Amino acid sequence: MVEELPDGVKDPYAHMGVEPTATDKTIQSAYKKKALACHPDKNPDDPDAADKFQRLQKTLEFLLDPVKRAKYDRHLKAQIEQRKRYEKQGKEKRKLREDLEARESAASGSRHDHHRDHSVGSPEHEVKRLRKENIARMTQHRADASATPSRRPEQSRSSTGGFVSADLSACRLRISWSEDSSLSGQSEAKIRDVLMNALAAYSVASLVVLPASRTATATLSSRESAVSCALYLSQHKKNYPFRVKLDKAREEKEREREKEGA
């Protein structure tokens, strides 16, 4: 896209002094006015007058070419949409930081009015505090869920000495996020970091991230962990930029077994 623009022209609309919605007639009218002002004959003392005039002519040709202009308009629209997404993500992050600062300030104020640590409000501190709080909540939720008796699936010993469910489909979580999510447009490494932080309280055996389809698959060590994790994240979905659900493969297998038994 940039290669097709006239040399020295970053935005042909701004260079011509018209809006992106301008008609060909409006563009030609704007060109005539600018051409009269920057024509070399009108500016004999300006050594760059000829280059300016030639650049204006090439900008006119570019804007009157329907193919080049349509391609540039698509590029311009994509830039605007990307800027809006960044602004929205910035507002979400700013609101989260402000909420965290308000909560921390209220808690610290009641305990240490005279000995407050000035580093509490720093972004690094807030991220660490949020991660620690998140792990503590999910760990408690996992413990509560484990206290309820349930049938344990068949397990096998892994190479690390722990136990992993023999039926991996029973331990899978399907993760997805919308185009408006703060994860949309992020790199695979960034998305993986966010998801691993959210699943930190659970034993994650593997995590496959597919940014292009805005999906991911997490395999946990047991069915109980998968159910507990899915339940917790669903109950607190407002705090996360993604949605989680159990793999339906397990449920379909159980239905088939019930039909065979009948």
Side-chain angles (χ1 to χ4, degrees), residues 153 165-173 219-220 222-227 246-247 249-251 253-254:
S165 174
D167 185 1
L168 293 179
S169 65
C171 311
R172 290 198 187 105
L173 295 177
T219 302
L220 275 61
S222 67
R223 176 68 174 176
E224 285 84 352
S225 293
V227 172
L246 289 170
D247 191 343
R250 172 75 175 187
E251 298 176 3
K253 286 183 179 180
E254 291 180 352

Side-chain angles (χ1 to χ4, degrees), residues 19-49:
E19 295 294 330
T21 56
T23 62
D24 289 354
K25 184 177 180 181
T26 301
I27 293 172
Q28 290 173 338
S29 177
Y31 166 77
K32 291 178 181 179
K33 293 180 180 179
K34 282 185 169 290
L36 289 173
C38 70
H39 196 280
D41 294 342
K42 296 283 186 179
N43 302 273
D45 298 330
D46 186 355
D48 298 326

Side-chain angles (χ1 to χ4, degrees), residues 175 177 188 191-192 195 207-217:
I175 305 171
W177 54 93
E188 179 181 346
I191 296 173
R192 178 180 295 276
L195 295 180
L207 177 63
V208 179
V209 180
L210 302 174
S213 61
R214 299 194 298 276
T215 59
T217 301

Side-chain angles (χ1 to χ4, degrees), residues 2-259:
V2 176
E3 290 76 3
E4 296 183 4
L5 291 173
D7 292 339
V9 177
K10 294 182 179 180
D11 184 350
Y13 292 115
H15 191 75
M16 190 62 69
V18 296
E19 295 294 330
T21 56
T23 62
D24 289 354
K25 184 177 180 181
T26 301
I27 293 172
Q28 290 173 338
S29 177
Y31 166 77
K32 291 178 181 179
K33 293 180 180 179
K34 282 185 169 290
L36 289 173
C38 70
H39 196 280
D41 294 342
K42 296 283 186 179
N43 302 273
D45 298 330
D46 186 355
D48 298 326
D51 291 338
K52 293 178 181 178
F53 185 73
Q54 186 178 16
R55 192 177 300 121
L56 185 66
Q57 287 181 317
K58 290 184 178 179
T59 302
L60 175 66
E61 294 173 0
F62 181 89
L63 292 177
L64 294 182
D65 186 320
V67 176
K68 291 182 179 180
R69 184 179 178 183
K71 188 175 180 180
Y72 178 77
D73 286 345
R74 290 194 296 271
H75 170 74
L76 190 63
K77 182 179 179 181
Q79 281 188 325
I80 294 174
E81 291 177 349
Q82 185 181 48
R83 191 180 303 117
K84 288 181 179 179
R85 285 198 299 270
Y86 286 157
E87 290 176 354
K88 182 178 179 181
Q89 293 171 7
K91 290 179 181 178
E92 292 176 350
K93 291 179 181 179
R94 185 163 57 252
K95 186 177 184 303
L96 176 61
R97 184 170 62 250
E98 290 173 352
D99 291 344
L100 288 171
E101 289 176 352
R103 289 164 53 193
E104 186 66 26
S105 177
S108 299
S110 61
R111 296 193 304 267
H112 308 290
D113 287 338
H114 302 291
H115 302 283
R116 182 172 299 173
D117 184 355
H118 294 290
S119 66
V120 168
S122 66
E124 294 80 3
H125 178 87
E126 298 302 341
V127 170
K128 292 179 180 179
R129 195 187 68 79
L130 176 61
R131 183 177 299 176
K132 183 177 180 181
E133 179 181 291
N134 181 44
I135 293 175
R137 287 204 307 262
M138 289 193 294
T139 301
Q140 182 60 45
H141 180 80
R142 184 183 178 189
D144 294 342
S146 300
T148 303
S150 60
R151 182 175 60 85
R152 295 184 60 84
E154 295 181 358
Q155 295 181 334
S156 59
R157 184 175 295 276
S158 67
S159 60
T160 59
F163 287 93
V164 179
S165 174
D167 185 1
L168 293 179
S169 65
C171 311
R172 290 198 187 105
L173 295 177
R174 299 298 182 184
I175 305 171
S176 62
W177 54 93
S178 66
E179 187 176 358
D180 296 332
S181 170
S182 59
L183 294 181
S184 183
Q186 297 290 342
S187 65
E188 179 181 346
K190 177 64 176 178
I191 296 173
R192 178 180 295 276
D193 184 54
V194 172
L195 295 180
M196 289 302 294
N197 286 337
L199 303 174
Y202 302 88
S203 299
V204 180
S206 67
L207 177 63
V208 179
V209 180
L210 302 174
S213 61
R214 299 194 298 276
T215 59
T217 301
T219 302
L220 275 61
S221 61
S222 67
R223 176 68 174 176
E224 285 84 352
S225 293
V227 172
S228 178
C229 180
L231 180 61
Y232 176 84
L233 294 176
S234 297
Q235 291 175 343
H236 299 81
K237 58 185 180 182
K238 291 183 179 180
N239 298 331
Y240 301 95
F242 55 84
R243 295 293 176 265
V244 176
K245 61 181 180 180
L246 289 170
D247 191 343
K248 294 183 179 180
R250 172 75 175 187
E251 298 176 3
E252 292 175 356
K253 286 183 179 180
E254 291 180 352
R255 292 196 192 99
E256 291 178 359
R257 290 174 183 173
E258 290 178 358
K259 290 180 180 179

